[in-house]
Amino acid sequence: MPSELITNYFRTETLPHIWCPGCGNGIVTRAIVKAIDNLNISKDDVCIVSGIGCSSRAAGYLDFNTLHTTHGRALAFATGVKLANPKLHVIVITGDGDSSAIGGNHLIHAARRNIDLTTVVFNNSIYGMTGGQYSPTTPTGDKATTAPFGNIDPNFDLCELANAAGATYVARGTVYAVNILEKVIQEGILNKGFSFIEAVTTCPTYYGRKNKKGSAVDMIQYLKENGVMYSAWQKMSDEKKIGKFPIGKLYSKERKEYTEQYQMLIDSLGKERN
Amino acid sequence: MSEIKLMQGNEACVAGAIHAGMRFYSGYPITPSTEIAELSAELLPKHGGKFIQMEDEIAGIAAALGASLTGIKSMTATSGPGFSLKQENIGYGIMAEIPIVIVDVQRSGPSTGMPTSPSQSDIMQARWGTHGDHSIIALYPASVKEIYTTTIRAFNLSEKYRTPVILLMDEIIGHMREKIDLEELKDIEIYDRKKPTVPPDKYLAYKVSENDVVPEMAAFGEGYRYNVTGLVHDETGFPSGNEVVADKLLKRLINKIENNKDDIVTYEEYMLDDADYAIVSFGAISRSSKVAVNELRELGIKIGMFRPITIWPSPEKQLSELSKKVKKIYVVELNAGQYLLEVQRIVSGQCKIGKYGKINGEIITPQEIVSFIEEDIYA
Ligand SMILES: Cc1ncc(C[n+]2csc(CCOP(=O)(O)OP(=O)(O)O)c2C)c(N)n1
Ligand code: SF4
Ligand SMILES: [Mg+2]
């Protein structure tokens, strides 16, 4: 028997999904659905917008208003959906390449506007769909099909990027720390503004194999050992931080939300007329 | 009571769009289309609509497509380089069957070219700019008043056929002021997309009922939860790699336009009844061509003009008939010979074809056309 979460929120007729055995994408997708379920939001009021990539395929499996767009452009489509109908809870599902390479410009501008979107980046440190090329989050030195001698590009810290660009809620979770992932997605949805959640996930097929990271279980074990709760992280010495990364809520701030500002503009012009 | 206004072409485009029901505009500024964005920014919030200046042209069309899925009529406008950037998502709109209007106030190219110089060089980009086999609707008005009415028509066709519609404009008319009587235009019919007639549990987002050409379209947030994708998809909207599904979908998307040319194609015929010669010309240049026709008639040459207003799909039947009637067709366009290729294809040897074009950033004057044709006939 599939779980209630699956029968209630997945388009079961579209399953099985296309993901490889051991892929972390299913875990992140489940966390998104669980967060929505916890918040008791009507399925009719949720719109999932995704780009192109293995991760972006998640949208089609979900029983919401779902929009699978072009590579890198999910946030631009989502901006149109949200501004045109602010009642919708718009959640963006995107990959590391989708959101920070081809779609990097849309990411910084959606964050700058503080438009009420919840973005979940499935960060597997690689271009999965196209077979393992390096992405802006592939760690320097790691291998990819287009970095056969090791990647010389410095890699992005996506949470720092989103925070600097103006996101009002920034958090990181992993496919090991699922409860934290669920919780931060939930907080992201509740935040009235641009929320950015980096979900660190595993691609055993390409990133794992190219970099001798072992099995899917080994890769998840790595996330368990190296993801440190932000509260503990802040107390750690720089030396101890090497090779580790903080998880949980990292940043939040108060800023005016874009669609509310626009509605105020419409209302003020209406008053002027009357 | 008349409501006569002096309006710029770009202004008439926005006024027509609002008349048609546009309530969302997203774009990125570029000469010579910028006034369309500026005026939308001013007027839309006053009509309860929304305007957003996006970070680039790709985002401009993407946001408009997203907004349209919530049931709101949406538009984006651009010029040359920006039109190039929009191409991928025009294909998305075609594949996912999302109504929007894309305005391209053309400028000379390639690349940054001559930003403020007129040009009609996006004829083929409008037809084939996005990749893949597809059909497209592109309209081309020739006066300020016609920009107003054609913008409305662009929205109507996009809603009726659930497809992006391209409105090609000329810099000259975009920036020119002409008289327009809005009172006389107030009753133009508006077409809205068909909403589902079945309850949500019976709704198949991409199923076309027997006597229809497009599926009924639910808005996001209305209780009809469905999937939208640029991948080949079945009637539910879910991706499919099946060759039967692909064949059926792609042929339907092409045929919904190609099989309805009688409804979509509009054109003007000027002095063609007794003509031995014909000019094919569109947009601003058709106005020079019209003056040239009058002058050539005074010189005793029986000539007329055929002006496609629907550029794509082309008026194939009408041009073919014309080629059986006249000795020669002159294609006069402000480019190196683009629509010429389409006219050649249609005429396919039934009469002679001549061409007059220009790519130096200047317009084509009536005098140039007169001398060219006179010389050609008497040579
Ligand atoms: C315009 C465009 N360029 C390139 C591609 C090819 N492409 C598809 S997915 C992808 C990378 C996806 O990587 P990521 O966003 O990290 O998602 P993942 O597959 O890893 O989940 C690329 C380059 C495309 N579909 N469209
Ligand atoms: S290629 Fe990698 S990211 Fe894509 S489905 Fe397979 S494991 Fe997952
Ligand atoms: Mg990736």
Side-chain angles (χ1 to χ4, degrees), chain A residues 11 14 44 57 60 63-68 70 73 76-77 80-81 83-84 106 109 113 258 262 266 269 273, chain B residues 45-46 49-53 55 58-59 62-63 66 69-70 89 92 221 223-229 231 238:
Chain A
R11 296 178 172 134
T14 65
D44 293 338
R57 282 299 198 96
D63 186 18
F64 302 106
N65 303 286
T66 56
L67 176 56
H68 176 237
T70 44
R73 316 302 170 194
F77 277 82
V81 170
L83 182 57
H106 309 309
H109 290 284
R113 290 184 191 107
Y258 190 84
Y262 205 96
I266 292 175
L269 290 170
R273 250 202 323 260
Chain B
K46 292 182 182 164
K50 314 269 171 75
F51 166 91
I52 184 167
Q53 182 170 309
E55 49 275 18
I58 304 173
L69 283 166
T70 71
N89 281 334
Y92 186 86
Y224 292 80
R225 298 183 304 271
Y226 64 101
N227 187 50
V228 179
T229 180
L231 287 166
F238 196 75

Side-chain angles (χ1 to χ4, degrees), chain A residues 213-232:
Chain A
K213 299 285 182 192
S215 68
V217 176
D218 295 331
M219 291 179 80
I220 290 177
Q221 184 69 24
Y222 170 86
L223 298 179
K224 175 183 175 183
E225 284 161 13
N226 297 295
V228 181
M229 279 309 294
Y230 189 53
S231 47

Side-chain angles (χ1 to χ4, degrees), chain A residues 18-20 23-25 54 124 128-129 202-206:
Chain A
I18 61 159
W19 298 318
C20 309
C23 175
N25 287 349
C54 294
N124 56 8
M129 178 125 271
T202 50
C203 171
T205 305
Y206 294 114

Side-chain angles (χ1 to χ4, degrees), chain B residues 83 104 106 122-123 126 138-141 166-170 311:
Chain B
F83 192 46
D104 174 25
Q106 295 162 91
D122 290 346
I123 301 294
L139 311 178
Y140 207 147
I166 294 165
L167 183 72
L168 287 173
M169 280 175 43
D170 284 302
I311 287 274

